């Protein structure tokens, strides 16, 4: 299995509080992605990174920011969490852009915003 | 822009019966297509892929899919399902001119004994 660790695995927080989710990889892959998974919507891309300090927006980036100061870590921050951000968040990594055959997923973070 | 439509949100089936999970896509350029499987409380795993060549592709666990360019479809099939195939299945597409994988909304396959 690809070395991807997401932390925390579960988090409950209150509306208006900041939250940071961490994705750590040991594969030295260039590309890292944050998706959210919601019933009826499948997986939607929030942000992605194509290198250290290089990031771009996905389909549903509003209310989220990311940072990548090291190859191995990709942080997703909710500056002021809202109930609509209750979801399961998945990190994924890839050696190459776009080719889904080389996309590996973490186990997910269940976030509940009350 | 590319998009993916999975026509069935849930598919119930009895063990050892055949199953087909439907996926249609739209894109103005050529695409790569994928099926992923997600078992309960786990991340996604690649089941199979179509990049080029033969339109019938075989994946893990006895699944196969056929790329039909004229119908813009990539349906997933298995001739005989097992209880262990109970999971959520996602179709995904990436166009040649982008670097973003777009997922469908998922199909929950429930296999009953």
């Amino acid at each position: 299995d690809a070395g991807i660790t997401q932390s925390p695995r579960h988090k409950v927080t209150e509306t208006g509080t900041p939250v940071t989710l961490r994705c750590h990889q040991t594969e030295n892959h260039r590309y890292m992605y944050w998706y959210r998974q919601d019933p009826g919507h499948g997986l939607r891309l929030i942000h992605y990174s194509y290198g250290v300090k290089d990031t771009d927006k996905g389909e549903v980036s509003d209310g989220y920011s990311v940072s990548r100061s090291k190859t191995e870590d990709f942080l997703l921050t909710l500056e002021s969490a809202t109930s609509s951000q209750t979801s399961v968040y998945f990190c994924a990594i890839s050696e190459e852009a776009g080719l889904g055959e080389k996309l590996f997923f973490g186990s997910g973070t269940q976030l509940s915003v009350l | 822009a590319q998009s993916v439509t999975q026509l069935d949100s849930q598919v119930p089936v009895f063990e050892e019966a055949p199953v087909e999970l439907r996926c249609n896509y739209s894109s103005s350029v050529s695409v790569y297509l994928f099926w992923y499987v997600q078992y309960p409380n786990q991340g996604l795993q690649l089941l199979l892929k179509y990049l080029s060549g033969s339109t019938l592709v075989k994946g893990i666990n006895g699944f196969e899919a056929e790329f039909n360019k004229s119908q813009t479809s990539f349906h997933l099939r298995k001739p005989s399902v097992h209880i262990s195939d109970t999971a959520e299945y996602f179709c995904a597409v990436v166009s040649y001119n982008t670097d973003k994988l777009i997922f469908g909304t998922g199909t929950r396959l429930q296999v009953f004994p």
Side-chain angles (χ1 to χ4, degrees):
Chain A
D1 291 343
I4 310 171
T5 304
Q6 290 186 233
S7 58
R9 291 296 312 277
H10 300 89
K11 185 168 182 66
V12 179
T13 191
E14 292 183 350
T15 300
T17 60
V19 176
T20 296
L21 308 183
R22 181 182 184 232
C23 178
H24 178 78
Q25 61 145 329
T26 57
E27 305 296 323
N28 201 37
H29 285 355
R30 178 180 175 188
Y31 296 87
M32 298 185 76
Y33 306 81
W34 277 109
Y35 288 89
R36 60 177 290 174
Q37 182 179 19
D38 304 287
H41 292 278
L43 273 80
R44 293 178 291 175
L45 182 64
I46 306 171
H47 282 281
Y48 68 104
S49 170
Y50 46 95
V52 173
K53 297 187 180 178
D54 291 323
T55 64
D56 203 353
K57 296 179 180 180
E59 310 167 69
V60 290
S61 59
D62 287 348
Y64 301 95
S65 63
V66 289
S67 66
R68 191 167 177 201
S69 59
K70 300 184 289 185
T71 299
E72 57 266 35
D73 289 326
F74 191 34
L75 304 181
L76 177 70
T77 297
L78 291 65
E79 300 291 346
S80 177
T82 67
S83 58
S84 65
Q85 293 175 313
T86 292
S87 186
V88 180
Y89 292 85
F90 286 98
C91 174
I93 65 173
S94 177
E95 273 186 294
E96 301 177 30
L99 289 182
E101 64 172 334
K102 297 182 181 179
L103 192 66
F104 299 101
F105 286 83
S107 299
T109 294
Q110 173 71 61
L111 176 67
S112 298
V113 183
L114 306 178
Chain B
Q2 62 202 41
S3 67
V4 180
T5 302
Q6 291 185 242
L7 298 164
D8 306 295
S9 60
Q10 295 188 62
V11 173
V13 63
F14 287 108
E15 194 173 21
E16 297 184 7
V19 70
E20 178 180 83
L21 307 183
R22 297 180 293 169
C23 172
N24 286 90
Y25 70 93
S26 70
S27 175
S28 57
V29 299
S30 297
V31 297
Y32 301 119
L33 292 155
F34 308 87
W35 276 99
Y36 286 83
V37 59
Q38 183 182 32
Y39 298 105
N41 300 313
Q42 295 185 25
L44 278 70
Q45 305 171 33
L46 182 66
L47 200 56
L48 50 77
K49 62 184 182 288
Y50 172 76
L51 303 182
S52 64
S54 173
T55 57
L56 182 64
V57 293
K58 295 187 183 298
I60 61 173
N61 300 337
F63 284 92
E64 63 181 30
E66 185 159 19
F67 171 58
N68 188 318
K69 188 175 182 179
S70 63
Q71 297 187 9
T72 60
S73 67
F74 190 55
H75 299 335
L76 180 70
R77 301 185 184 100
K78 187 170 182 179
S80 176
V81 295
H82 301 283
I83 297 285
S84 59
D85 292 323
T86 293
E88 188 139 22
Y89 293 80
F90 293 93
C91 183
V93 62
V94 58
S95 298
Y96 282 11
N97 61 350
T98 75
D99 57 3
K100 298 175 191 175
L101 190 64
I102 302 299
F103 288 86
T105 52
T107 297
R108 178 159 184 77
L109 175 64
Q110 183 105 34
V111 182
F112 295 95

